[in-house]
Amino acid sequence: MKNTLKKELREKAKNHKITMGVIAVTNTINGRRYIQGSLNLEALVNKMKFLLNGGQFNNSQLQKDWTEQGSDSFTFEFVVIIPSQENQYINERQEIKKAEQTFISEINNDLY
């Protein structure tokens, strides 16, 4: 039984598609946003929450708001999703950076 479960989990992990794109962390109290692109948005959310909860996030204003207002005052939203392409000539990091810059230029809210 254990081996069957392990095999299923391995297959599920192999078939899991990684989400690339841009995330917006929004403070629901003051409306400020923190924008960041990544090759793996799910991993980025986990990393950000870990650092914010530990008081070690690199953006001091976001960290201050998180510490003072608590995690319930923030939303994490995938604002741009870049589909995975099997083209070796496309630089995915550059595509993410372009999407990040485009999103930032389109919004008018306060940013961190």
Side-chain angles (χ1 to χ4, degrees):
M1 189 67 172
K2 279 186 179 180
N3 290 337
T4 305
L5 179 59
K6 284 182 184 179
K7 187 175 180 179
E8 287 176 22
L9 290 174
R10 263 191 240 114
E11 282 300 314
K12 186 177 180 182
K14 264 196 254 182
N15 296 329
H16 177 72
K17 298 290 183 194
I18 295 173
T19 308
M20 295 184 290
V22 180
I23 189 171
V25 181
T26 305
N27 182 327
T28 58
I29 294 174
N30 62 22
R32 278 191 260 182
R33 290 182 179 175
Y34 177 82
I35 308 299
Q36 186 172 341
S38 176
L39 291 168
N40 187 334
L41 291 175
E42 291 90 353
L44 178 60
V45 170
N46 290 335
K47 178 182 177 183
M48 291 174 78
K49 286 181 179 179
F50 177 79
L51 292 172
L52 286 163
N53 286 329
Q56 299 181 350
F57 197 72
N58 61 358
N59 183 291
S60 60
Q61 187 60 49
L62 175 58
Q63 181 64 64
K64 181 177 181 256
D65 287 356
W66 181 276
T67 303
E68 291 175 358
Q69 299 164 359
S71 62
D72 291 340
S73 300
F74 292 84
T75 60
F76 290 77
E77 179 185 7
F78 296 174
V79 292
V80 178
I81 295 177
I82 298 173
S84 179
Q85 298 179 5
E86 302 300 323
N87 185 337
Q88 66 182 2
Y89 300 108
I90 292 178
N91 185 328
E92 293 170 335
R93 291 182 193 277
Q94 285 180 346
E95 294 299 314
I96 291 168
K97 194 68 176 165
K98 281 189 239 176
E100 185 179 324
Q101 293 304 319
T102 300
F103 182 76
I104 288 172
S105 67
E106 289 176 357
I107 60 174
N108 296 324
N109 294 23
D110 291 30
L111 296 175
Y112 281 105

